[in-house]
Amino acid sequence: MGQVVLQGLARQLVSNAQISEEVAMQATADAHKAGEPFAHHVVAQSLVKSADLALTASQLYGTPLLDLNAFDLTRIPSDKLDRKIVIEARALPLFIRGKRLYVGLSDPTDLRALDAMQFASGLTTEAIVVEADKLAAAIENYGESSGSLGDLNDDGLDNIDLEDDSDTQTEDDPSDPGNDQPIVRFVNKMLLDAIRLGASDIHFEPYEKAYRIRYRVDGVLSEVTKPPVNMATRLAARIKVMSKMDISERRVPQDGRIKMKLSANKAIDFRVNTLPTLWGEKIVLRILDPSSAQLGIDALGYEPDQKDMYMKALAQPQGMILVTGPTGSGKTVSLYTGLNILNTPEVNISTAEDPVEINLEGINQTQVNTKVGLTFAEALRAFLRQDPDVVMVGEIRDLETAEIAIKASQTGHLVLSTLHTNSAPETLTRLRNMGVPAFNIATSVSLIIAQRLARRLCSHCKSAVELPPEALESEGLAPADIATHTLYEPVGCEHCMNGYKGRVGVYEVVRVTPAISEIIMREGNALELAKQCHLEGFKSLRQSGLQKVLQGVTSLQEINRVTKD
């Protein structure tokens, strides 16, 4: 066994401290003796988790990684290859693009399998990394089962064009710096991995001696890879080509969009922004998934009484609904959910947004463009001449916009908008500080929603935790609740990231009652308004967050992170 030389995956696993050198050498020898791929052997022997091995292989070889649970196996080209060849090769034909067959393998360097499939199909083969255990299950059903391993059917990833979206590239110009094939593949991999992980943003960041790429998943940034620093200019050029920016302009910020078609029925948009920094252009891509606007109000996390107040406010023919919170708190999804509830053939809805993030069928959406004078205020003026029933203003930023929005809400229109404030009471005082008369606020604003997004505990690994009752009471939990509810803490497993998976909204929903209107009219401060909200039974952000803790949806430390008294 001393003659065994570790290479490729085996060496990388040792380097990552995923297995010891002795175990890797023994596994390499055993796999060779058994005539099976190393990747298959280490998973079969439970030496490495299948998901960990797939991620390591994908990162090591720069090969796309695909989760077979998010893939419709009923649409694989099962007529192209004999079942016997698939079983012997331990590889799965996934889909065909042009004259290229994409093949799922646990080890993308298995040239024997790729050559066998290329010879049998007559197509050029391209490797995609998949998890060994899921691959084995899929091969078992190859040619015999019409079922899918995943719960994504028509929206599976089988129609992704890994070469890139043809609408935005200029492949016919080989001299274009954005058409460097290894860079094309690398950027595609970054985008696909971000979608797979459910990231909301991707950060490409150049520094003097390093370059890093980070994903924001469930509201938290984490580093995913550090490509060589000399790739910075080529990466920037590629992304700028995809988003139709000027690749020769590096001195000023630019904005663009990328559309990636995942299947015939599903596409993902990326909003792209570049920013010149000391060592190159930092690029941030915001991932805009249209399906997030179709979740429905029940999926957002409103408590029953809060949902009821929102639905009643939406049912009113006029008034103003304000959604508040910091950037990234989910305001847009709350607004779009409300608009989708109102979106019927009988209702004329117009929106002014900066930018338009998600296209909504049946709603007239306007992109604000201050360079040509199309401000929120100008868009609102135009809307009011077009017989609207519902108007959505992306953000109230100034007195002019606030006054027009309030006038619209007082003249038979339902107005929805956002403000950057921390709580519902602060929203009312913010409008007054802008210069809006108190009587206009009191007579026009009908509902305020302040919100945050908290990470959900992973249902697979969350663990019950016992904390001293005194400590829990100091956090705001009632003794009766402490005695009757189980609290949980994050653990971490292969299904999640650090014990959390997904996010849930935490809300403070306040209806403007006669008592609150009276405080507004006499220009009471935010503390007085907050006290009245408490007296009338409206849950604060903190109270709503603690409710999610008692329900086992999230942890106390997460609520402490996103809410403050």
Side-chain angles (χ1 to χ4, degrees):
M1 197 173 77
Q3 300 300 315
V4 174
V5 178
L6 295 181
Q7 296 179 335
L9 258 180
R11 185 167 58 189
Q12 190 63 38
L13 291 172
V14 173
S15 176
N16 293 352
Q18 291 172 277
I19 57 176
S20 68
E21 185 174 359
E22 293 75 19
V23 170
M25 292 178 69
Q26 183 64 57
T28 300
D30 291 347
H32 179 74
K33 185 177 180 180
E36 61 183 4
F38 173 80
H40 176 82
H41 179 80
V42 293
V43 171
Q45 298 299 316
S46 301
L47 301 176
V48 180
K49 288 182 179 178
S50 183
D52 293 342
L53 182 76
L55 183 60
T56 299
S58 174
Q59 292 173 340
L60 176 62
Y61 300 115
T63 305
L65 175 64
L66 179 65
D67 182 0
L68 286 178
N69 281 352
F71 189 88
D72 185 4
L73 291 174
T74 64
R75 302 176 70 176
I76 64 176
S78 55
D79 58 332
K80 285 291 180 183
L81 290 163
D82 186 82
R83 175 177 165 82
K84 182 179 178 182
I85 294 172
V86 171
I87 293 173
E88 288 179 353
R90 288 194 176 93
L92 185 71
L94 296 172
F95 54 89
I96 297 171
R97 301 295 293 174
K99 294 183 179 180
R100 197 176 292 265
L101 173 66
Y102 289 88
V103 178
L105 308 110
S106 55
D107 184 349
T109 65
D110 189 353
L111 299 180
R112 180 190 57 81
L114 290 171
D115 289 344
M117 292 197 142
Q118 181 166 320
F119 180 80
S121 67
L123 299 169
T124 302
T125 51
E126 190 83 24
I128 293 180
V129 176
V130 295
E131 295 172 41
D133 54 354
K134 294 176 184 176
L135 175 65
I139 289 174
E140 185 77 21
N141 295 322
Y142 180 80
E144 295 185 351
S145 171
S146 60
S148 169
L149 291 183
D151 53 12
L152 279 176
N153 37 56
D154 289 338
D155 291 336
L157 301 179
D158 54 324
N159 285 332
I160 289 177
D161 185 351
L162 294 174
E163 296 299 320
D164 200 59
D165 53 309
S166 58
D167 292 338
T168 58
Q169 64 183 19
T170 54
E171 299 293 351
D172 54 337
D173 182 3
S175 64
D176 192 324
N179 289 321
D180 184 337
Q181 195 62 27
I183 294 294
V184 169
R185 292 173 55 81
F186 182 80
V187 172
N188 283 340
K189 172 176 163 49
M190 290 296 99
L191 302 190
L192 291 169
D193 283 354
I195 294 169
R196 180 180 60 83
L197 289 171
S200 60
D201 302 88
I202 312 172
H203 293 243
F204 291 80
E205 301 171 314
Y207 298 97
E208 182 180 10
K209 297 180 180 179
Y211 191 98
R212 71 176 176 182
I213 298 174
R214 294 190 290 173
Y215 293 163
R216 187 179 294 279
V217 179
D218 296 336
V220 178
L221 274 171
S222 60
E223 186 179 293
V224 290
T225 188
K226 296 184 75 171
V229 70
N230 60 12
M231 287 176 61
T233 303
R234 295 153 65 199
L235 285 170
R238 175 60 193 160
I239 295 170
K240 288 162 79 172
V241 166
M242 295 174 72
S243 49
K244 299 182 179 179
M245 296 181 190
D246 181 356
I247 63 172
S248 64
E249 180 56 79
R250 303 175 186 174
R251 300 164 299 174
V252 297
Q254 295 188 66
D255 293 293
R257 291 178 83 97
I258 297 171
K259 191 178 190 71
M260 176 173 277
K261 194 171 184 181
L262 301 183
S263 71
N265 304 314
K266 186 176 179 65
I268 299 289
D269 282 345
F270 298 82
R271 193 178 80 214
V272 187
N273 175 264
T274 68
L275 177 69
T277 67
L278 192 59
W279 305 108
E281 291 178 285
K282 172 173 178 176
I283 302 178
V284 177
L285 291 81
R286 167 64 59 90
I287 302 174
L288 308 173
D289 185 355
S291 63
S292 66
Q294 307 290 339
L295 290 173
I297 194 167
D298 291 323
L300 300 186
Y302 287 93
E303 297 299 323
D305 58 327
Q306 295 175 333
K307 172 188 169 183
D308 185 56
M309 284 189 282
Y310 191 16
M311 295 296 290
K312 285 181 178 177
L314 289 170
Q316 297 300 311
Q318 66 181 53
M320 181 181 285
I321 299 172
L322 295 174
V323 182
T324 79
T327 301
S329 60
K331 300 187 297 296
T332 301
V333 173
S334 281
L335 283 177
Y336 280 3
T337 300
L339 291 177
N340 275 322
I341 292 170
L342 297 168
N343 188 14
T344 64
E346 299 80 28
V347 180
N348 179 20
I349 303 175
S350 294
T351 75
E353 304 173 59
D354 184 20
V356 174
E357 294 197 357
I358 297 173
N359 297 326
L360 300 174
E361 188 72 29
I363 293 176
N364 309 293
Q365 295 174 275
T366 299
Q367 172 82 48
V368 168
N369 187 348
T370 54
K371 292 180 181 178
V372 297
L374 182 55
T375 62
F376 282 119
E378 284 301 316
L380 264 174
R381 288 193 184 95
F383 291 165
L384 297 180
R385 295 192 290 269
Q386 295 214 334
D387 184 35
D389 298 302
V390 179
V391 171
M392 193 270 270
V393 187
E395 184 183 349
I396 294 177
R397 297 176 178 172
D398 51 49
L399 177 59
E400 183 182 21
T401 306
E403 287 179 334
I404 300 170
I406 283 173
K407 186 178 294 184
S409 71
Q410 293 173 334
T411 55
H413 306 92
L414 180 62
V415 178
L416 291 81
S417 190
T418 72
L419 274 173
H420 282 86
T421 57
N422 291 323
S423 67
E426 288 177 42
T427 302
L428 297 167
T429 56
R430 171 73 184 279
L431 287 172
R432 199 169 66 239
N433 291 339
M434 277 186 182
V436 180
F439 65 88
N440 272 342
I441 301 172
T443 57
S444 60
V445 179
S446 53
L447 190 78
I448 304 168
I449 302 171
Q451 68 179 82
R452 301 289 187 276
L453 288 177
R455 291 177 292 173
R456 288 181 182 269
L457 284 166
C458 173
S459 59
H460 293 91
C461 67
K462 67 179 182 180
S463 174
V465 60
E466 290 188 13
L467 297 171
E470 303 79 21
L472 295 176
E473 287 180 38
S474 69
E475 293 283 2
L477 290 167
D481 288 330
I482 296 169
T484 56
H485 291 80
T486 301
L487 273 58
Y488 295 89
E489 64 179 357
V491 177
C493 68
E494 61 181 6
H495 300 283
C496 66
M497 182 170 289
N498 300 322
Y500 296 99
K501 187 172 180 63
R503 289 192 286 179
V504 64
V506 177
Y507 303 92
E508 176 183 25
V509 181
V510 171
R511 181 168 49 84
V512 179
T513 63
I516 291 174
S517 293
E518 189 273 327
I519 296 174
I520 297 170
M521 291 290 286
R522 61 178 173 83
E523 300 192 354
N525 59 36
L527 289 175
E528 292 178 83
L529 288 165
K531 184 177 180 181
Q532 184 61 38
C533 290
H534 178 71
L535 290 173
E536 301 209 26
F538 301 131
K539 296 184 185 72
S540 67
L541 279 168
R542 178 72 180 175
Q543 290 169 331
S544 294
L546 293 176
Q547 195 72 30
K548 294 286 189 293
V549 173
L550 294 173
Q551 292 166 0
V553 174
T554 190
S555 67
L556 186 57
Q557 54 262 51
E558 178 66 4
I559 290 304
N560 285 337
R561 185 180 72 86
V562 300
T563 67
K564 294 178 181 178
D565 286 328

